[in-house]
Amino acid sequence: MSYLIQLFIVLLLTKIGSHLSNILKFPSVIGELLVGIVAGPAVLHLLSPTTFIHYFSELGVIILMFIAGLEGNLEMLMKYWKPSLIVAVLGVIVPTGSAALLCSLFFGFSWETSLFIGLVLSATSVSITVQVLREMGRMDSKEGAMILGAAVADDILCVILLGLSISFIGSRGTTGLDLIGLIGLIGPKVLFFVIAFVLGKWFVPRFLEIFSKLSASENETTAALILCFGFAAIAVLMDMSDVLGAYFAGIAISETKFKEKLSLKIEPIGYAVFIPVFFVSIGLSISFKGMQNDILFIVLLIIIAILGKQIGCGFGAKMFGLTWNEANIVGAGMVSRGEMALVVANVALNAGVIDASHYTAMIVVTVITTLIAPVILKIYIQRISTDIIYEND
């Protein structure tokens, strides 16, 4: 019966934590993370990392990335594909490269650890950004459209890099630098993208059409979950990350007429049960032992996390004719981290690339940058609004 008690505690506390976070104007995910920290081994010892929570959280992260793909907007990406892609690429390269160099040269980490720490800082979550843009009437502005387009590209880049990093690190020591070994390593990854494209373009719409005509309950919802777990399984078979497969399954469905209906069906399944367990499991893995030795590490990474996106994305936006104030809004809009950063950190911990102490440090960096991001964004929006008023006078 212990698994029932664990699930009871997780679901009850996560809703309370999310409620309190929303009241305090923080993202609900922060409340769920804090539940894992407070209720876990770090503080109250009400919960602990168990096999049940592990597998439940694995399903949670797969569904989470499936929903992220399902909510994707390829039309927006195509409309602003060039500036969005440049903004996204620079927004990945600058913080990832800066953090990797800092960790490798200054702190002496291995290249695997440095790479994953950099990838944690590459991920963007614009859910908070969208709320700020709406509140301040900038959703329909060119910088708002560029942020949304870049966020789509950023997610794809980050997920692809995560999948490639997992497979490369997982194969270290088994593949040499010879041509045959390199083809054997890269070949399955290329094959996965080919398979994902072919299935997404021609198989997924027909599969959903067939299931929609079956005489059974929740046909389309079940079909979507079959595609989610099927794509995830194919990714694993091709030596890629399961979250990459789930993400592309969501993207494929987002291009069909079933997108809106399935979004309403899948989100309650994920966010009611599985996804909260995933976020709590992250908190359960946190230990404060030795964290006092990582203060400098955390502070430097927070600076890189903020400036890396601000400078990289802002410069990319400036290249396409925006004023510096508008470009700064784009940069600030890409600063916020969220679910994807937590996914990368969790994958790195499970792969043994980072230890519990540095994992905790990365969670702290993610939470703090998520809290700071909307403040920076509001400052830049207020600045451009002041300039408009000044020009009109």
Side-chain angles (χ1 to χ4, degrees), residues 87 90-91 94-95 98 303-318 324 327-328 330-332 335 380:
V87 168
L90 290 178
V94 176
S98 301
I303 294 173
I304 289 177
I306 295 173
L307 294 183
K309 287 290 186 181
Q310 186 71 60
I311 294 173
C313 296
F315 181 74
K318 180 62 179 174
W324 276 116
N328 282 330
V330 174
V335 166
Y380 282 120

Side-chain angles (χ1 to χ4, degrees), residues 158-200:
C158 191
V159 173
I160 291 173
L161 288 173
L162 174 61
L164 292 174
S165 299
I166 286 291
S167 56
F168 271 89
I169 290 175
S171 61
R172 65 184 185 275
T174 63
T175 305
L177 295 178
D178 60 288
L179 181 60
I180 296 177
L182 190 60
I183 293 174
L185 184 62
I186 297 177
K189 288 78 178 172
V190 177
L191 181 59
F192 166 76
F193 290 115
V194 173
I195 292 174
F197 174 78
V198 172
L199 292 179

